[in-house]
Amino acid sequence: MKTNILTLITCLLLASCNNNNAEKKVPQTPNAEVAKEEAKKTFTNKGQELVYNLTQKTGNYQTLLDKKDVVYTYTYKTPDGKTDITTEKYMFNGELSYGSYTKHERTLPNLEGNIEQGYDGNEYWLKHNGTVINDEAALKHVAFNRPTNFYWFSMFPKLLDPSVNYEYLGKKNINAKAYEIVKISFTSENDKPTDIYQIYINKETGMIDQFLFTVADFGKMDTPSLLQMEYEEIDGIMIPTKRQYKKSNWDAEVTDLPWIYVTWSNIKFNNKLKLEDFQK
């Protein structure tokens, strides 16, 4: 009987030791790990730090990946009244893109009726009234529109991409508002020219009120355009849904030309889109 009692006590002690060891080996919760990494965060310069702080409000790319996909209405109107209206669909994993144009007075206006553009992760494609179009010139427009529209929507989260270079340009007051200015450029292969952005971060809100940009694909590198924005919070993300832009100079002084207006509406995330939705 004494032997049994001693055996039982020994087993209980061993179990207690094992539990203590197990408790010591319990991994940190994801939140604790994130906090630990954030504490270690270092920046190459003040410009990168400002952009990082911005993404704490707009979300980073993981924020978009968690949303899976998005569907929204894109409206683009030029000063002469020409308008494009498209239903845009993106899958964030793989940066897949689709656009169905119900109105396209400035994009392939020679094609009457519905046009569809897509990028399925491998190729760009175009359909006109349900028929596949293989015209090389038309497909060049698709190869510009699809990644461009996707980038505009995901731009702020993507400002933390590894290919991004940051240069802090200092402070400036514009219309009684204080801004910190950061130049954004990109590392490219074969020294191919890439777009340049000059973002104006509102010191009070920490958000980008406006930015200058170039369009390298069309050789427009010397004269930038200034884009101004108004935000809307959708599903926990601050999104610049109202945008206007026109030609400017590098001091953000715009010309007398009229504005071009762009709006994003009916924005819905996590629509359970599939790869088939992006194939021709």
Side-chain angles (χ1 to χ4, degrees), residues 63-280:
T63 306
L64 294 181
L65 289 174
D66 291 341
K67 301 292 186 185
K68 308 297 184 184
D69 59 56
V70 70
V71 177
Y72 70 99
T73 301
Y74 177 105
T75 304
Y76 185 109
K77 189 172 183 178
T78 54
D80 59 3
K82 292 183 179 179
T83 303
D84 282 356
I85 300 176
T86 75
T87 297
E88 296 279 321
K89 300 180 181 181
Y90 309 143
M91 185 179 289
F92 298 116
N93 185 8
E95 302 190 0
L96 309 187
S97 173
Y98 168 88
S100 176
Y101 288 69
T102 55
K103 194 170 186 178
H104 49 97
E105 295 173 340
R106 54 173 299 278
T107 299
L108 301 175
N110 57 306
L111 300 177
E112 296 183 4
N114 177 253
I115 60 173
E116 298 171 86
Q117 300 178 351
Y119 173 67
D120 61 10
N122 294 305
E123 67 171 337
Y124 296 101
W125 56 266
L126 174 66
K127 282 184 178 180
H128 176 221
N129 293 327
T131 300
V132 175
I133 302 296
N134 292 314
D135 178 73
E136 185 176 347
L139 286 173
K140 283 184 178 179
H141 284 280
V142 178
F144 175 78
N145 288 340
R146 286 302 93 213
T148 298
N149 287 10
F150 181 95
Y151 186 80
W152 282 123
F153 189 89
S154 60
M155 175 181 168
F156 297 160
K158 286 182 69 64
L159 288 180
L160 291 180
D161 282 357
S163 62
V164 177
N165 305 308
Y166 313 89
E167 181 182 351
Y168 179 65
L169 299 182
K171 303 175 183 179
K172 185 174 184 178
N173 289 332
I174 301 175
N175 297 327
K177 292 182 180 179
Y179 291 98
E180 303 217 64
I181 308 170
V182 180
K183 178 182 176 181
I184 302 292
S185 60
F186 303 86
T187 302
S188 66
E189 298 180 0
N190 303 321
D191 294 325
K192 180 182 177 181
T194 63
D195 294 332
I196 294 173
Y197 296 87
Q198 190 166 295
I199 61 177
Y200 290 73
I201 301 176
N202 188 312
K203 289 190 68 175
E204 182 178 348
T205 65
M207 301 292 289
I208 298 174
D209 286 356
Q210 62 181 27
F211 62 85
L212 296 166
F213 69 94
T214 62
V215 184
D217 283 350
F218 289 93
K220 298 178 180 179
M221 298 296 293
D222 295 327
T223 304
S225 293
L226 178 73
L227 189 148
Q228 299 176 335
M229 300 162 292
E230 294 180 19
Y231 291 85
E232 185 177 348
E233 183 175 347
I234 299 173
D235 203 5
I237 302 177
M238 296 299 292
I239 299 176
T241 54
K242 294 181 180 180
R243 309 154 74 89
Q244 61 181 28
Y245 72 91
K246 62 177 173 177
K247 291 297 181 183
S248 175
N249 58 27
W250 288 107
D251 291 320
E253 298 166 339
V254 294
T255 66
D256 292 330
L257 295 173
W259 294 93
I260 294 170
Y261 294 98
V262 179
T263 58
W264 302 336
S265 57
N266 306 315
I267 299 172
K268 295 180 181 179
F269 291 103
N270 205 355
N271 302 275
K272 298 183 179 179
L273 299 181
K274 300 178 181 179
L275 178 61
E276 294 77 31
D277 295 312
F278 299 90
Q279 295 175 334
K280 62 184 178 182

Side-chain angles (χ1 to χ4, degrees), residues 2-22:
K2 290 182 179 179
T3 302
N4 291 338
I5 292 173
L6 288 172
T7 302
L8 178 60
I9 292 172
T10 301
C11 290
L12 289 173
L13 288 171
L14 288 172
S16 177
C17 290
N18 287 337
N19 285 338
N20 288 337
N21 288 337

